[in-house]
Amino acid sequence: MPDTAIRVYRRHVKLLPENAEGFIEYLMSIDRLDEAAQRMADIINDERFVSREGKSKHQLWNELCDLISKNPDKVTSLKVEAIIRQGLKRFTDQIGVLWNALADYYIRSGHFEKARDVYEEAIQTVITVRDFTQVYDAYAQFEESMISAKMEATAEEGPTDEDDLDLELRLARLEELIGRRPLLLNSVLLRQNPHNVHEWHKRVELYREAEKLTEVINTYTEAVQTVDPKIATGKLHTLWVSFAKFYEDAGQLDDARIIFEKAVKVNYKHVDDLASVWCERCEMELRHENYEEALKLMHQGTAAPPRKVAYFDETETVQMRVYKSLKLWSMYADLEESFGTYKSCKAVYDRILDLRIATPQIVINYGMFLEENNYFEEMFKAYEKGIALFKWPNVYDIWNTYLTKFIKRYGGKKLERSRDLFEQCLDGCPAKFSKAIYLLYSKLEEEHGLARHAMAIYERATQGVLPEEQYEMFNIYIKRAADIYGVTYTRPIYEKAIEVLNNEQTREMCLRFADLERKLGEIDRARAVYAHCSQMCDPRTTDTFWDTWKEFEIKHGNEDTVREMLRIRRSVMAVYNTQTNFMSAQMLAAKASAGEISESAEKNEMQKLEERARELAEEHEADEAESSKGISFVKSNVTQEELGDMTKSNNPEDIEIDKDYSSDEEQKIEEVSVSQQPVPTKVFGGLVKEDEDEDSNQ
């Protein structure tokens, strides 16, 4: 019956080729796997075939590989290895699976050495970590199964010397495979990207740990030949430098120099890479105390090319542009300072300035070098060149150093020149950096110039610094003015500060100004300052100010001044309350216009406003009650006993006012009779005789 069914299926498939999958399933069910594999290979090769079950060619290929690899004894008409290797070329996303299938085919066929060769070929050719992991795990499992099988066979038959040797060989293979894993994985990553500098370094380290020095050299050689500088991932020059250091550590300086000679000829992607190679080459010579050779190398590296090129011109090679590398010139300058002469070092710094590649730190270092050699005017010229190269804010450090050194050198001997320098510095100086310059300028005028000039500079400083630094600047101005001219000179400064500063700082300044006036005995001026400051002091948040003013009035005022203070406080509170209510009304109106407030929310807001209004009314009544109590002041005719009785009261601020007290307007003016008395003539002296002579003449 199976043969008859097979003949019928064959004729049916000729008429309806799309039903070939059913025929294949029937063949597999009756264990006719060889013909099933042939039929499956036919439909895979047929480009016109479309699976009724919706399988892709890739799925059919996987089923075929699975079928032929797991049944090597039943599938004999197909070349299994050729089929699987063709799949390796067509389906690159299934490399690991297909390699394992091919190895599994040989394992099931009993060709273990052939299977091992397949695994070795696979781990040497896969290019993804996933495929490598699949193949490596299958390979390790294969070796473990071989060891287990050998141990079981030995246990049943009894161990022999040949069996022990074979077992040790298999164990050594497994250990060697496990030890090779990092290198194999590194090889996979390098096959993915042979221009990955970091992976080349890792490979070298793996060989170093294994103490395979020959492999280290071979790896370095292969790396510098393989990596393309333009598309390298990482910095290629580090490979050359590490290669040279490897020879240096081995004591082979000549070989290291040869490596560096080749390294400086490589066309790197960036100029800084070539400059790093030159610096490392020079440092190697310094480590071996070849100072003259190091200077020669720096001179060679910074030599100008035969024609002028731009530093950022990518069309030119890095060898043509390296002469403008600041990294190279900085090291050259350091070497000249350490091992060269004054003239050679100065020439290097001047060349840096001429190439316009200097940084502010280079200019400052140049100035310090000249100062150490006592060339002060040359130092100032160097600072001038540096200032011409940079703009604010980069030039700040140069100016600061220049002015400090100049004042330290000349003090007040060249005062006009110092002033010109300061004015030149402040011309265009941003407010962020002007504070230190102004303080240095004013210090110069105080120590070597005129005090009025110093005050003028402080005045300019209060306007030239940042707003957040004005308060501190005014404090310095006031202190210096008080020390030089006395405290009375600070009045206009306080007034200017009160005009310029913000409310918080103005309050602090007003309190200090009023305290100054009080100490000077100017009570009315102090009271005027308090009154001015009160307009920016909300009684709800600035209790300190109002308490200070109240204490002032108790000590130095009278009942009228206290009432005036309380009146001002109520008016200020009313102003702030009005502003708050107005802002609340605006916010409510804005929300209502936007349609964001529901009726219930409006009711809640109105309730809050009514509660706030009641609170304000209660505060107003409390203020009225407080003002109605009044504060009494000691009259001039009060005796010491009355003063003692007043101090014994529970609250020293509660002073009773006489009930029969009336204001000056209510008091009646009493008429006093004035009688004329004769004035003694001696009071007038000689004037009496002149009057008598005039009367007699008349």
Side-chain angles (χ1 to χ4, degrees):
M1 289 298 293
D3 294 335
T4 304
I6 290 172
R7 292 190 188 99
V8 173
Y9 255 122
R10 286 172 183 168
R11 292 184 180 184
H12 178 70
V13 169
K14 287 181 180 179
L15 295 174
L16 298 173
E18 61 271 14
N19 294 331
E21 288 178 295
F23 185 25
I24 294 171
E25 290 179 3
Y26 176 72
L27 290 173
M28 294 175 66
S29 64
I30 62 175
D31 206 23
R32 295 289 184 92
L33 301 182
D34 188 47
E35 188 175 354
Q38 290 179 2
R39 291 289 178 177
M40 192 174 293
D42 291 339
I43 65 175
I44 290 173
N45 293 327
D46 186 4
E47 298 294 337
R48 296 173 298 176
F49 179 78
V50 177
S51 173
R52 284 194 169 185
E53 297 180 7
K55 295 180 181 179
S56 64
K57 289 292 180 71
H58 182 263
Q59 290 174 312
L60 293 173
W61 192 279
N62 284 338
E63 290 179 2
L64 175 61
C65 291
D66 189 57
L67 176 64
I68 61 180
S69 63
K70 292 183 178 180
N71 301 281
D73 53 337
K74 296 180 181 180
V75 180
T76 58
S77 59
L78 296 178
K79 295 181 180 180
V80 177
E81 184 173 358
I83 293 173
I84 294 179
R85 287 188 181 275
Q86 185 182 1
L88 291 171
K89 296 177 181 179
R90 291 184 60 181
F91 306 108
T92 55
D93 58 336
Q94 295 290 324
I95 296 291
V97 175
L98 293 175
W99 276 116
N100 287 341
L102 181 57
D104 190 36
Y105 168 74
Y106 284 115
I107 292 171
R108 291 177 184 272
S109 301
H111 302 293
F112 300 122
E113 292 299 328
K114 188 66 175 176
R116 187 175 288 109
D117 293 339
V118 170
Y119 279 127
E120 285 292 337
E121 183 183 356
I123 60 177
Q124 295 292 341
T125 56
V126 293
I127 58 174
T128 64
V129 177
R130 185 192 66 178
D131 294 335
F132 170 79
T133 304
Q134 291 176 346
V135 174
Y136 181 84
D137 292 344
Y139 190 9
Q141 187 176 1
F142 164 69
E143 292 291 353
E144 290 176 359
S145 63
M146 293 293 292
I147 294 172
S148 299
K150 187 64 178 176
M151 293 178 68
E152 290 176 1
T154 303
E156 291 177 359
E157 299 176 359
T160 63
D161 294 339
E162 186 177 352
D163 293 338
D164 293 340
L165 185 61
D166 187 23
L167 185 60
E168 289 180 3
L169 177 62
R170 295 185 182 187
L171 287 171
R173 280 177 176 170
L174 180 60
E175 291 177 0
E176 192 262 347
L177 177 63
I178 295 173
R180 285 167 53 206
R181 190 180 191 282
L183 269 175
L184 294 172
L185 182 58
N186 178 259
S187 299
V188 173
L189 296 174
L190 286 176
R191 283 195 292 273
Q192 283 183 359
N193 181 14
H195 308 287
N196 191 331
V197 176
H198 178 64
E199 291 301 328
W200 283 111
H201 280 297
K202 286 176 64 175
R203 190 172 187 82
V204 169
E205 289 299 321
L206 290 173
Y207 280 126
R208 279 189 175 179
E209 292 175 0
E211 297 183 355
K212 297 180 180 180
L213 302 183
T214 305
E215 292 295 331
V216 170
I217 297 174
N218 294 336
T219 303
Y220 273 128
T221 305
E222 184 183 359
V224 296
Q225 291 175 352
T226 304
V227 178
D228 186 350
K230 300 299 181 183
I231 60 175
T233 303
K235 296 186 179 296
L236 173 60
H237 74 275
T238 58
L239 278 175
W240 285 99
V241 172
S242 299
F243 196 5
K245 285 185 176 180
F246 174 75
Y247 280 115
E248 181 189 358
D249 295 339
Q252 302 176 10
L253 288 181
D254 294 335
D255 292 332
R257 292 190 180 101
I258 292 173
I259 298 299
F260 274 123
E261 281 289 342
K262 294 180 179 179
V264 296
K265 296 177 182 177
V266 178
N267 187 18
Y268 298 99
K269 187 176 181 180
H270 303 291
V271 178
D272 192 60
D273 296 341
L274 179 57
S276 299
V277 174
W278 278 107
C279 292
E280 291 289 346
R281 186 179 180 184
C282 181
E283 288 178 359
M284 184 188 75
E285 298 296 343
L286 292 176
R287 284 193 293 269
H288 297 279
E289 300 181 356
N290 298 326
Y291 306 124
E292 292 297 329
E293 184 66 23
L295 288 173
K296 289 180 182 178
L297 288 174
M298 284 291 102
H299 181 72
Q300 180 183 351
T302 56
R307 56 188 174 83
K308 187 177 181 180
V309 295
Y311 181 77
F312 295 102
D313 188 1
E314 298 289 341
T315 59
E316 298 289 345
T317 62
V318 292
Q319 282 76 14
M320 294 287 289
R321 296 180 283 151
V322 74
Y323 80 102
K324 280 192 173 182
S325 172
L326 178 61
K327 186 175 186 178
L328 206 57
W329 280 104
S330 299
M331 187 169 185
Y332 194 8
D334 292 341
L335 288 179
E336 286 292 350
E337 282 192 40
S338 302
F339 309 111
T341 62
Y342 165 75
K343 290 184 178 180
S344 62
C345 185
K346 185 175 182 298
V348 170
Y349 275 116
D350 288 337
R351 180 62 176 158
I352 294 174
L353 294 176
D354 293 340
L355 290 174
R356 303 180 70 84
I357 60 173
T359 62
Q361 187 60 51
I362 292 289
V363 176
I364 293 172
N365 291 344
Y366 187 18
M368 293 177 63
F369 166 74
L370 294 171
E371 184 183 15
E372 290 173 358
N373 291 274
N374 297 324
Y375 290 92
F376 296 102
E377 284 301 325
E378 292 291 332
M379 174 182 67
F380 298 144
K381 289 180 182 178
Y383 287 140
E384 290 286 350
K385 290 181 181 179
I387 289 168
L389 288 176
F390 300 100
K391 296 181 180 180
W392 291 96
N394 299 321
V395 77
Y396 169 73
D397 292 327
I398 302 177
W399 267 120
N400 198 12
T401 308
Y402 184 14
L403 295 172
T404 304
K405 298 288 185 183
F406 192 88
I407 294 174
K408 180 181 178 182
R409 172 65 179 166
Y410 293 113
K413 296 179 181 178
K414 296 187 178 182
L415 189 58
E416 289 302 322
R417 184 177 169 186
S418 301
R419 288 171 177 167
D420 291 341
L421 288 176
F422 274 106
E423 293 298 334
Q424 182 184 352
C425 176
L426 290 172
D427 184 17
C429 176
K432 182 179 179 181
F433 303 97
S434 61
K435 178 183 174 183
I437 306 298
Y438 277 119
L439 292 177
L440 194 62
Y441 192 5
S442 58
K443 183 180 179 182
L444 171 69
E445 290 291 349
E446 288 182 24
E447 294 179 354
H448 306 289
L450 300 175
R452 58 187 178 86
H453 285 178
M455 294 299 104
I457 294 167
Y458 281 124
E459 176 69 20
R460 289 170 56 189
T462 57
Q463 301 174 359
V465 298
L466 292 173
E468 54 266 24
E469 294 178 344
Q470 282 184 324
Y471 180 70
E472 184 180 357
M473 203 69 235
F474 270 113
N475 287 334
I476 298 173
Y477 186 13
I478 291 169
K479 184 177 184 304
R480 299 308 303 152
D483 293 341
I484 296 173
Y485 288 106
V487 292
T488 56
Y489 189 84
T490 61
R491 283 172 174 164
I493 305 174
Y494 275 114
E495 294 172 0
K496 181 66 178 297
I498 292 170
E499 293 177 6
V500 173
L501 298 176
N502 58 43
N503 288 350
E504 185 66 29
Q505 296 169 346
T506 299
R507 280 195 290 271
E508 182 66 25
M509 200 62 73
C510 285
L511 289 174
R512 291 172 55 189
F513 189 17
D515 188 58
L516 172 66
E517 296 291 356
R518 181 187 63 78
K519 291 178 180 178
L520 294 175
E522 298 288 347
I523 304 302
D524 292 337
R525 292 178 62 91
R527 185 175 291 112
V529 172
Y530 281 123
H532 175 77
C533 182
S534 64
Q535 301 304 312
M536 61 189 76
C537 296
D538 187 352
R540 295 170 297 182
T541 58
T542 56
D543 295 334
T544 305
F545 168 78
W546 293 101
D547 293 341
T548 305
W549 192 6
K550 182 178 179 181
E551 293 176 1
F552 169 80
E553 293 296 350
I554 291 174
K555 292 180 180 178
H556 306 285
N558 53 38
E559 184 179 1
D560 292 338
T561 59
V562 172
R563 286 179 176 175
E564 180 65 17
M565 181 202 72
L566 296 175
R567 185 193 66 78
I568 293 174
R569 177 171 180 173
R570 289 194 298 273
S571 65
V572 171
M573 181 176 289
V575 170
Y576 277 100
N577 289 339
T578 303
Q579 291 178 353
T580 304
N581 294 337
F582 179 70
M583 291 174 62
S584 301
Q586 279 188 328
M587 292 173 62
L588 290 173
K591 291 183 179 180
S593 62
E596 298 178 356
I597 302 178
S598 61
E599 294 182 359
S600 60
E602 290 180 1
K603 292 180 180 179
N604 293 334
E605 294 295 337
M606 291 302 296
Q607 290 177 358
K608 292 180 181 179
L609 290 175
E610 291 175 358
E611 292 176 359
R612 182 60 183 162
R614 283 197 296 272
E615 292 177 1
L616 295 176
E618 293 174 358
E619 292 180 2
H620 182 69
E621 292 176 0
D623 291 338
E624 289 288 346
E626 182 180 356
S627 62
S628 63
K629 293 179 182 179
I631 300 175
S632 63
F633 293 85
V634 180
K635 298 180 181 179
S636 59
N637 57 355
V638 176
T639 62
Q640 295 294 329
E641 292 78 4
E642 293 175 347
L643 284 174
D645 295 335
M646 291 174 63
T647 56
K648 293 178 182 178
S649 61
N650 293 330
N651 189 354
E653 293 186 359
D654 291 344
I655 303 174
E656 296 182 358
I657 300 176
D658 296 339
K659 295 182 179 179
D660 58 348
Y661 176 81
S662 60
S663 62
D664 294 340
E665 296 178 357
E666 296 176 355
Q667 291 180 354
K668 296 181 180 179
I669 300 174
E670 298 178 358
E671 295 183 358
V672 180
S673 60
V674 180
S675 60
Q676 295 183 355
Q677 299 290 337
V679 180
T681 57
K682 292 182 179 181
V683 174
F684 299 100
L687 295 176
V688 178
K689 294 181 179 180
E690 293 177 0
D691 292 341
E692 291 178 354
D693 293 339
E694 290 178 359
D695 293 339
S696 63
N697 290 333
Q698 290 177 357

